């Protein structure tokens, strides 16, 4: 409950803003998550937030939302549902090791330095079944020095 | 014309081909791109706190202030973040696709014909949504393909999500969504987003995946077959 309140503070929305939601479920009819987990309905999430109820970290919408903005594009009020989802992920601290490495690089170099991120995420890449894609990625990725190193 | 240029992290790394392509295309048309001095990452979609996320791009706009007012950002995520952070519309933050207009194509020197080859122009999400930051001409890639004698495929999936930003979170989501796009389209896939490029490349098998800039340069007579 408190977590949810805090999540909304991270967005541009207040709880009462969701009172405009018409319950039309157009968002649900276009939501990309339905391609991987059927029955996903962003409207239901907004309703729970509006009522001050919690939204758990393991909800398919919270886990799988791709940030595609199909819901926003179709919603009569253009509610930015993925922004809300991202705030929920933030308060639930659901970052993957890769995302942690991404932020670590931004904190260190001010930029995402891919070799650093990949190196930091090696255990995750190994156990997560990513190695089989490596040869494909090597076709177009190139390794380079961070800009700060290059410059001096 | 001189533009401020925000390459963003991926164009300095895995999407270096898009960076080179953009620079080449602009140079050929007589435009200059000048990088925002010491730009920082825009935060992509990794930050749940809207203010924190906007802060990255506001910093970039500060670094651009006084140098230029027209800013070009090729990575769709960078472009969206920059444009949203410019609340007062002090700058003209533009996506390159919006600069490829009639005047551009009239001035462009055509060296090759696409000879009926089939292409799937794939926009993905962020170039088309939300409305406030969407590009103006949402058919520019199709128009390019037909204008130079190619055939367009995959109209129904051009705006579907490839799940690219889940690739390092829930890879199966990306695989499922990318395959949906691949199965409902034919020919070479033409993308602009570095993340779409990665998702498509990862799961496309024998199908070719190219950047839109590769297509332009090909028509202009550079590079090999697509
Ligand atoms: S942004 Fe998220 S909630 Fe909205 S349609 Fe896409 S996947 Fe569904
Ligand atoms: S589309 Fe908008 S108004 Fe309709 S149910 Fe979804 S959030 Fe509510
Ligand atoms: S969106 Fe991607 S490319 Fe753009 S600055 Fe951020 S990490 Fe870098
Ligand atoms: S990577 Fe996915 S979310 Fe990003 S633009 Fe491509 S389709 Fe959309």
């Amino acid at each position: 409950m408190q977590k949810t309140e805090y999540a909304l503070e991270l967005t541009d929305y207040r709880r009462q803003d969701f009172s405009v939601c018409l319950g039309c479920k157009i968002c649900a009819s276009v939501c990309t998550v339905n391609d991987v987990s059927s029955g996903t309905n962003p409207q239901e999430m907004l309703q729970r937030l509006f009522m001050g109820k919690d939204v758990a970290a393991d909800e398919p919408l919270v886990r799988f939302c791709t940030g595609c903005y199909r819901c926003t594009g179709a919603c009569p009020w253009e509610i930015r549902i993925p922004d809300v989802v991202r705030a929920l992920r933030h308060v639930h601290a659901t970052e993957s090791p890769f995302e942690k490495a991404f932020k670590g690089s931004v904190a260190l170099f001010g930029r995402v330095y891919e070799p650093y991120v990949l190196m930091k995420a090696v255990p995750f890449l190994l156990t997560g079944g990513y190695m089989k894609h490596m040869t494909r990625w090597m076709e177009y990725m190139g390794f380079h020095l961070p800009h700060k190193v290059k410059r001096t | 014309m001189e533009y401020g240029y925000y390459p963003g992290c991926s164009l300095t790394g895995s999407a270096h081909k898009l960076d080179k392509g953009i620079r080449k295309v602009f140079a050929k048309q007589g435009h200059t791109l000048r990088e925002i001095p010491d730009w920082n990452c825009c935060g992509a979609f990794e930050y749940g706190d809207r203010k924190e996320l906007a802060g990255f791009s506001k910093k970039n706009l500060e670094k651009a202030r006084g140098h230029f007012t027209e800013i070009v950002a090729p990575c769709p995520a960078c472009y969206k973040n920059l444009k949203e952070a410019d609340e007062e519309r002090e700058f003209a933050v533009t996506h390159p696709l919006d600069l490829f207009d009639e005047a551009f194509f009239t001035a462009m020197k055509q060296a090759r014909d696409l000879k009926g080859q089939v292409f799937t122009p794939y926009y993905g999400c962020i170039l088309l949504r939300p409305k406030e930051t969407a590009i103006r001409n949402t058919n520019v890639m199709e128009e390019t393909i037909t204008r130079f004698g190619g055939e367009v495929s995959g109209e129904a999936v051009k705006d579907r999500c490839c799940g690219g930003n889940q690739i390092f979170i829930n890879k199966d989501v990306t695989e499922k969504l990318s395959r949906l796009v691949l199965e409902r389209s034919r020919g070479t896939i033409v993308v602009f987003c570095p993340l779409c490029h990665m998702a498509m490349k990862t799961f496309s098998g024998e199908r070719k995946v190219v950047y839109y800039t590769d297509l332009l340069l090909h028509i202009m007579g550079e590079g090999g077959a697509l």
Side-chain angles (χ1 to χ4, degrees), chain A residues 18 20-28 30 41-44 46 71-72 74-79 81:
Chain A
F18 300 138
V20 297
C21 169
L22 308 164
C24 63
K25 298 194 182 63
I26 294 176
C27 49
V30 299
N41 178 8
Q43 178 253 341
E44 201 232 346
L46 293 185
C71 50
T72 310
C75 171
W77 298 101
E78 294 176 38
I79 299 175
I81 291 159

Side-chain angles (χ1 to χ4, degrees), chain A residues 66-68, chain B residues 45 76 122-126 160-165 193 195-196:
Chain A
T66 60
C68 68
Chain B
F45 296 113
Y122 178 63
Y123 294 79
C125 311
I126 302 308
R160 297 294 304 212
C161 181
C162 68
N165 78 20
C193 169
L195 208 51
C196 296

Side-chain angles (χ1 to χ4, degrees), chain B:
Chain B
M1 167 104 198
E2 186 182 273
Y3 294 97
Y5 183 50
Y6 181 75
C9 311
S10 57
L11 273 74
T12 66
S14 51
H16 57 91
K17 213 172 165 214
L18 178 59
D19 178 63
K20 286 197 196 85
I22 286 283
R23 289 178 194 268
K24 234 187 203 156
V25 169
F26 273 67
K28 275 180 177 287
Q29 297 288 93
H31 299 308
T32 319
L33 291 175
R34 265 177 60 209
E35 271 187 52
I36 296 177
D38 195 38
W39 56 267
N40 52 268
C41 175
C42 75
F45 296 113
E46 296 300 324
Y47 297 81
D49 182 341
R50 288 271 295 161
K51 286 198 188 70
E52 187 181 13
L53 181 65
F56 291 112
S57 293
K58 283 187 195 296
K59 234 163 64 189
N60 283 321
L61 292 173
E62 241 163 67
K63 290 168 182 171
R65 190 167 290 129
H67 296 285
F68 17 69
T69 52
E70 307 253 355
I71 302 173
V72 169
C75 166
C78 302
Y79 158 73
K80 170 180 177 289
N81 281 341
L82 258 186
K83 192 152 182 160
E84 282 181 354
D86 183 22
E87 288 160 24
E88 310 293 326
R89 292 284 178 267
E90 176 189 350
F91 297 88
V93 179
T94 310
H95 191 268
L97 277 176
D98 275 332
L99 297 171
F100 303 137
D101 54 7
E102 196 49 43
F104 171 90
F105 288 114
T106 314
M108 183 173 134
K109 285 194 190 75
Q110 179 185 0
R112 281 188 186 131
D113 190 274
L114 297 176
K115 297 193 183 88
Q117 196 183 332
V118 181
F119 294 91
T120 290
Y122 178 63
Y123 294 79
C125 311
I126 302 308
L127 289 170
L128 307 178
R129 292 178 296 267
K131 274 193 220 92
E132 305 88 75
T133 46
I135 54 170
R136 280 190 303 271
N137 182 1
T138 55
N139 288 311
V140 54
M141 297 212 264
E142 292 90 311
E143 284 168 17
T144 314
I145 293 162
T146 46
R147 181 178 192 129
F148 297 102
E151 192 193 314
V152 173
S153 166
E155 287 95 335
V157 289
K158 72 177 228 184
D159 67 340
R160 297 294 304 212
C161 181
C162 68
N165 78 20
Q166 285 267 354
I167 197 163
F168 291 115
I169 309 169
N170 305 296
K171 184 163 65 87
D172 297 347
V173 171
T174 316
E175 175 153 9
K176 181 96 191 273
L177 296 175
S178 297
R179 289 200 190 285
L180 283 177
V181 172
L182 290 160
E183 281 158 15
R184 294 178 202 168
S185 63
R186 293 178 301 127
T188 299
I189 300 135
V190 185
V191 298
F192 214 113
C193 169
L195 208 51
C196 296
H197 179 267
M198 182 180 208
M200 288 295 144
K201 267 273 188 200
T202 307
F203 303 110
S204 60
E206 295 300 305
R207 292 268 294 278
K208 275 199 175 174
V209 184
V210 300
Y211 283 112
Y212 175 77
T213 45
D214 298 332
L215 178 74
L216 281 184
L217 288 167
H218 173 80
I219 298 165
M220 291 173 175
E222 297 226 2
L226 293 181

